[in-house]
Amino acid sequence: MYKKLALAIAVASSSGVVMADGAQVEEILVWGAQVKASSLKLDEEKIALKQVDHISDLLRIVPGVDVGGAHSLNQRITIRSMDDKDLRISIDGANQNTYMYHHMGNLQINADILKSVAIDVGTNSVVNGGLGGAVRFETRDAAELLQGGNRFGGRVNVSASDNASNNLSLTGYGKIIDSIDFLAYYNRVDRDNFSVGGGKIRDEKGMEEPGTDGEVKGLKGELDDVLIKFGWAINENHKLKLGYESYKDEGNYSYRPDMGLSTGITIANSLNVPLTYPTEFTRDTYTLNYSGDIGNTTIAASVYRNQSNLWRDETGSSRMAPNRCHY
């Protein structure tokens, strides 16, 4: 258990001003995300509007869907007990095949930039390509954020928490010409190792781990996420979207972020290897999306290139006893 105190400040400038009974009232743009799921029935459209800062907050209302992982490298979705290896997870049409090794998750995205998420729970596996279902994330578009005839807008979001985490996100968007819009998004997260409530790291028997001081090691790192999108409304029925995302997560991380600190300490001590390792995960994604209506048929097509890399300095593991594997 750990306590958390967070302070968040958000400023958005794409709203207009309207008159009500002679007084000025500012229109506030709701920065929310839509959730649509095959197992969710909230209203006629099966859509819920959520304002969240974490994927788990966004999807916790969907029956049969769980999001877990206490580390940025270990965020993963489970649908009816089937994990992300058996799901098709996409962001703006690009498959997220970032399951680099078996202690790592397949979900690296910030909920703040999401416009919508559609979930197929265990259905149409032949159509969506996921044995256990599909999760389709879609990021925001400038054309949908601009209101009241405004041509440009922006948003700044700053948050700080006493569990050693700080976050800054910047968003700018606008129209170059009437038919072409752009969006630029930058998200920065700085994390440090935090201390647990009570100040003691305990093992599975409730006993304090020797040599610990309550600090949860293996979390210190930085995350940088950049998203750039351009949209071209060819006409009322056809639109092209071009996007690029650069995602980088680096820090002095635990080798097994999904197993907890106590387990990591036990394994590291038994094998005589380090508890944490310098680690860097990067992902570069290029997407080209087309959407259009031809008669009574709606067409959506995506072309993408997604390249992920995982680097880790394991020179310290050379002290490991021969013929013993630490995976």
Side-chain angles (χ1 to χ4, degrees):
M1 296 290 292
Y2 65 88
K3 59 181 181 178
K4 179 179 179 181
L5 175 63
L7 172 65
I9 302 174
V11 179
S13 59
S14 63
S15 56
V17 176
V18 298
M19 302 297 294
D21 297 329
Q24 287 190 344
V25 179
E26 185 177 2
E27 292 180 347
I28 300 176
L29 176 63
V30 178
W31 192 271
Q34 292 181 329
V35 181
K36 183 177 182 180
S38 60
S39 63
L40 181 67
K41 294 184 179 179
L42 291 178
D43 52 32
E44 293 180 356
E45 297 181 345
K46 302 181 182 177
I47 290 178
L49 186 66
K50 304 283 289 182
Q51 288 182 291
V52 297
D53 57 6
H54 194 276
I55 295 293
S56 60
D57 296 329
L58 184 64
L59 302 182
R60 69 173 72 250
I61 63 172
V62 183
V65 177
D66 295 303
V67 179
H71 196 283
S72 59
L73 291 181
N74 187 42
Q75 296 298 314
R76 57 181 62 186
I77 294 179
T78 301
I79 295 181
R80 293 177 177 173
S81 300
M82 303 192 75
D83 62 22
D84 43 12
K85 298 189 301 297
D86 298 315
L87 307 175
R88 183 181 183 271
I89 300 174
S90 64
I91 302 175
D92 289 338
N95 286 349
Q96 300 303 295
N97 300 317
T98 55
Y99 188 79
M100 306 295 286
Y101 72 116
H102 58 281
H103 292 291
M104 184 174 174
N106 196 26
L107 182 63
Q108 285 81 31
I109 188 172
N110 183 28
D112 182 57
I113 194 59
L114 291 178
K115 177 180 70 175
S116 65
V117 52
I119 304 173
D120 291 328
V121 180
T123 60
N124 300 321
S125 61
V126 175
V127 176
N128 60 48
L131 179 62
V135 183
R136 296 183 296 276
F137 295 102
E138 187 175 354
T139 58
R140 302 181 187 279
D141 294 324
E144 296 159 344
L145 291 172
L146 293 170
Q147 294 184 348
N150 293 330
R151 297 193 65 86
F152 298 97
R155 179 178 184 262
V156 178
N157 186 72
V158 181
S159 65
S161 304
D162 72 342
N163 65 335
S165 175
N166 301 296
N167 174 234
L168 167 67
S169 68
L170 306 172
T171 311
Y173 44 89
K175 289 185 176 181
I176 301 175
I177 58 177
D178 288 343
S179 60
I180 298 178
D181 58 74
F182 74 91
L183 180 144
Y185 171 79
Y186 172 70
N187 181 56
R188 168 81 177 190
V189 180
D190 290 295
R191 298 180 307 272
D192 204 345
N193 299 325
F194 60 79
S195 297
V196 298
K200 294 182 180 181
I201 304 296
R202 300 183 183 275
D203 59 19
E204 71 279 3
K205 297 180 181 179
M207 303 298 294
E208 183 178 4
E209 287 281 0
T212 61
D213 57 2
E215 181 180 329
V216 181
K217 300 183 184 300
L219 300 175
K220 186 175 182 179
E222 299 84 33
L223 189 155
D224 292 279
D225 189 12
V226 176
L227 174 66
I228 300 174
K229 296 179 67 175
F230 291 92
W232 176 30
I234 303 172
N235 53 42
E236 293 183 356
N237 298 320
H238 303 277
K239 185 170 185 178
L240 287 175
K241 298 178 185 178
L242 177 65
Y244 168 70
E245 183 187 20
S246 174
Y247 185 99
K248 182 178 181 180
D249 189 355
E250 61 178 335
N252 201 30
Y253 294 152
S254 168
Y255 195 95
R256 305 165 187 83
D258 60 334
M259 298 182 68
L261 180 59
S262 178
T263 302
I265 292 173
T266 300
I267 296 176
N269 290 339
S270 64
L271 298 179
N272 192 28
V273 296
L275 177 63
T276 61
Y277 299 79
T279 305
E280 180 180 292
F281 169 78
T282 60
R283 183 188 70 218
D284 291 285
T285 305
Y286 301 84
T287 58
L288 177 62
N289 286 275
Y290 163 79
S291 60
D293 295 324
I294 301 177
N296 295 324
T297 303
T298 298
I299 299 175
S302 300
V303 178
Y304 65 89
R305 181 180 185 271
N306 198 356
Q307 179 176 342
S308 301
N309 294 282
L310 177 66
W311 174 89
R312 181 167 49 222
D313 183 357
E314 298 186 12
T315 54
S317 64
S318 60
R319 301 193 304 269
M320 185 180 64
N323 301 322
R324 298 183 69 177
C325 180
H326 62 289
Y327 279 82

